[in-house]
Amino acid sequence: MAFLLQADAQTNPRQAAGRLKSHKQKVSTNLMVKEPLFVTEQPRERALLVGIERGAVDWPLEESLAELERLVDTDGAEVVGSVSQRLTSPNPRTFIGKGKVAEVAAAARALEANLVVFDDELTPTQQANLEKEVPGVKIIDRTALILDIFALHATSREGRLQVRLAQSQYLLPRLRGMWSHLAANRMGGGVGSRFGEGESQLEVDRRMVRKRIGSIRAELAKVRDERAGQRKARLASSLFRVALAGYTNAGKSSLLNALTGADVLAYDKLFATLDSTTRRLVLPEGREMTLTDTVGFIQKLPTTLVEAFKSTLDEISQADLILHVVDSSAQQRDAQTHAVRDVLEQIGAHEVPQILVFNKCDLLDEQQRELLTSRFPQCLSVSALTGEGIDGLLGRIEQAMNATSTLLNILVPFAEGHLVQLAHERCAIVSERFTEGGTALQLQVPPALVSRFQPYKI
Ligand SMILES: Nc1nc2c(ncn2[C@@H]2O[C@H](COP(=O)(O)OP(=O)(O)OP(=O)(O)O)[C@@H](O)[C@H]2O)c(=O)[nH]1
Ligand SMILES: [Mg+2]
């Protein structure tokens, strides 16, 4: 019975919820029952989407709302409808116009929505006004939704702390005096009525959140010290660092898995990856490098998240090479690519050399493939799924490594055999000869190792 009801809740949550309610009413009269008889899943929340059509070429409203729907779905709610308005800029009071607000309230009632999601970040004032004018429904914006998904997917201590920091920063300007009605009740006069109790409560709330932000920052600093130690160790090992960056769901984790045999979670949800993962990789020529998978980007990425995830994003800005992974089959492929470039610039990673990698090429037909290569002659088409193009990608990484290295001719005495081993692991060997005086090598040396080999130059 329990199982049946649970399955039912998944297929038809509202009906199941209704049945559960009547059952609950029944059991509440039965004093023998102390524990609920069964646990069912919460019915999915019903969301109404709201967006404005600004006439943007990059992100037409339908595409932006389709993405918002995926975000809502990732967060576990169900989209039941959408309302849109053509506006050049948002209304400062309620984001959409007055008449549209009434339309949203009516649609929410008709569709039995308990959640209204705006496709942009609302100002604290807009949110407060909307809550008043669309009563009984939760009003959230795109930023809150993304923060919620991050909270859902955060697994590591650092990830969770970063999300809590971003959430608290988002919350701070949105706090409202929850007890202000008490002050209003006493406005008849008398002792205490002049203090504005609601305001002071708001101050208390703000102080509490600020304090929380302070303690999260302190805890994060500790975690980051540990991570900085790991990163330093990686730097000291002077391995060439390659970072995977790109739009969420482009296939970064799948590529890490395909290239290194790692087993990182890759699935068809937005923001599956929050924590970066680094793996070593031996290139066909024998040189080693590290490859780091990172959090995905999205258009209108909340700035609080960019700030809070700074140390994770440093993995990208401090890399020697970025593989910008693009979902070549995405409807909004070009707009996604631009959005990623914007974030890379925002985090100071735009000067790191980049290779544009068009992933999921298995989903393209012949004509689409030709179009892609004619538009981007230098681009690399790969498929993390089928392995197509992976060898070409490795070759391009080797070329990029060579571009940053110095060509040296050295003679290493036999007694210094460990240097020859180091050369094989970290450098591209152009030629190798054994002579009476030791091993003669011509090699491409990465910047960090030049000083180690310089003394043996011939
Ligand atoms: N057909 C096809 N699907 C792919 C390919 N690469 C990845 N996918 C699928 O795309 C979805 C997203 O892949 P992920 O590797 O999780 O993408 P990601 O960029 O790491 O996404 P986030 O971590 O959420 O930012 C998964 O369902 C993958 O199976 C590919 O080359 N071809
Ligand atoms: Mg991922």
Side-chain angles (χ1 to χ4, degrees):
M1 175 67 179
F3 178 75
L4 254 180
L5 239 142
Q6 201 156 352
D8 205 15
Q10 274 167 5
T11 48
N12 191 347
R14 291 173 54 69
Q15 215 176 17
R19 276 215 262 139
L20 179 63
K21 205 169 151 203
S22 59
H23 184 86
K24 257 191 185 161
Q25 280 163 357
K26 235 191 281 167
V27 295
S28 65
T29 57
N30 181 353
L31 295 176
M32 299 293 286
V33 180
K34 288 185 186 143
E35 303 272 335
L37 280 180
F38 42 73
V39 180
T40 66
E41 289 196 349
Q42 289 282 326
R44 288 178 85 192
E45 283 182 284
R46 294 167 64 80
L48 176 69
L49 310 184
V50 183
I52 55 175
E53 173 71 272
R54 295 185 173 91
V57 189
D58 244 15
W59 286 98
L61 181 70
E62 318 84 73
E63 293 301 334
S64 197
L65 287 184
E67 185 176 84
L68 190 68
E69 178 163 1
R70 289 210 64 193
L71 287 166
V72 168
D73 176 62
T74 298
D75 206 29
E78 177 192 2
V79 171
V80 291
S82 67
V83 173
S84 62
Q85 184 171 32
R86 186 177 284 272
L87 278 179
T88 38
S89 59
N91 178 319
R93 246 199 98 249
T94 45
F95 188 76
I96 43 177
K98 201 169 183 264
K100 265 296 164 195
V101 176
E103 201 182 303
V104 167
R109 264 194 312 275
L111 296 164
E112 297 183 39
N114 42 15
L115 181 67
V116 176
V117 188
F118 283 76
D119 192 26
D120 286 81
E121 188 164 311
L122 297 171
T123 64
T125 315
Q126 286 167 339
Q127 183 150 6
N129 289 333
L130 285 163
E131 273 166 14
K132 259 185 250 146
E133 290 173 35
V134 191
V137 181
K138 203 168 14 167
I139 307 276
I140 66 164
D141 61 13
R142 196 182 154 91
T143 300
L145 179 65
I146 293 176
L147 289 175
D148 211 46
I149 295 172
F150 270 59
L152 197 69
H153 292 176
T155 49
S156 74
R157 188 165 152 232
E158 184 179 22
R160 281 201 296 267
L161 283 169
Q162 291 180 137
V163 175
R164 275 178 53 205
L165 178 61
Q167 281 176 327
S168 305
Q169 281 168 335
Y170 173 80
L171 183 69
L172 190 59
R174 286 171 176 80
L175 285 174
R176 265 163 259 146
M178 284 191 283
W179 283 269
S180 49
H181 61 286
L182 293 180
N185 283 345
R186 291 185 294 154
M187 284 314 271
V191 177
S193 63
R194 288 171 291 266
F195 282 87
E197 188 66 22
E199 275 312 296
S200 65
Q201 181 59 49
L202 182 59
E203 269 315 305
V204 172
D205 290 351
R206 284 197 182 130
R207 208 172 329 118
M208 263 169 53
V209 176
R210 274 195 210 103
K211 213 171 139 195
R212 186 165 63 190
I213 289 178
S215 66
I216 299 172
R217 278 192 201 283
E219 218 176 314
L220 256 178
K222 261 193 260 159
V223 181
R224 280 173 184 166
D225 274 354
E226 290 160 24
R227 262 169 63 89
Q230 290 165 8
R231 200 176 303 133
K232 232 187 240 158
R234 248 185 278 143
L235 266 177
S237 76
S238 74
L239 286 179
F240 192 74
R241 287 159 303 156
V242 182
L244 291 155
Y247 211 77
T248 179
N249 210 48
K252 301 174 293 297
S253 302
S254 305
L255 261 181
L256 178 85
N257 292 341
L259 285 163
T260 68
D263 193 17
V264 168
L265 177 75
Y267 76 137
D268 199 15
K269 291 275 176 196
L270 304 184
F271 301 115
T273 308
L274 290 194
D275 301 312
S276 44
T277 303
T278 301
R279 289 280 181 277
R280 274 184 183 226
L281 173 62
V282 181
L283 289 162
E285 279 177 5
R287 270 181 294 177
E288 282 186 53
M289 56 168 255
T290 62
L291 186 62
T292 302
D293 181 25
T294 60
V295 58
F297 302 160
I298 198 162
Q299 54 136 349
K300 307 180 199 166
L301 188 66
T303 42
T304 47
L305 270 180
V306 177
E307 283 161 31
F309 274 71
K310 188 176 177 318
S311 79
T312 307
L313 297 171
D314 279 351
E315 295 278 0
I316 301 174
S317 54
Q318 292 176 10
D320 297 309
L321 174 70
I322 295 172
L323 301 184
H324 176 168
V325 185
V326 180
D327 176 352
S328 58
S329 71
Q331 193 96 32
Q332 290 304 105
R333 183 197 67 204
D334 292 348
Q336 292 185 353
T337 311
H338 292 146
V340 171
R341 290 213 176 108
D342 285 349
V343 184
L344 288 176
E345 188 157 346
Q346 211 179 327
I347 64 170
H350 52 294
E351 278 170 11
V352 180
Q354 282 182 38
I355 300 178
L356 203 56
V357 183
F358 285 101
N359 188 35
K360 306 196 189 182
C361 71
D362 56 292
L363 297 176
L364 305 182
D365 60 28
E366 266 318 304
Q367 201 187 357
Q368 288 169 320
R369 280 171 182 251
E370 276 167 24
L371 256 171
L372 194 66
T373 31
S374 68
R375 263 202 67 197
F376 305 94
Q378 293 298 313
C379 85
L380 263 172
S381 291
V382 307
S383 167
L385 197 72
T386 65
E388 184 184 339
I390 297 290
D391 288 346
L393 174 59
L394 291 173
R396 284 284 284 277
I397 296 173
E398 280 177 333
Q399 279 175 16
M401 263 172 143
N402 291 343
T404 58
S405 27
T406 311
L407 187 70
L408 285 183
N409 283 299
I410 56 171
L411 181 68
V412 184
F414 289 120
E416 307 275 357
H418 64 280
L419 277 178
V420 177
Q421 194 185 338
L422 183 68
H424 277 274
E425 283 169 5
R426 309 285 154 82
C427 310
I429 312 288
V430 182
S431 69
E432 183 173 17
R433 271 180 314 114
F434 301 103
T435 68
E436 273 182 16
T439 312
L441 294 156
Q442 185 178 53
L443 69 183
Q444 298 273 9
V445 186
L449 283 183
V450 172
S451 60
R452 293 284 297 276
F453 291 109
Q454 201 80 33
Y456 306 93
K457 210 171 147 194
I458 45 173

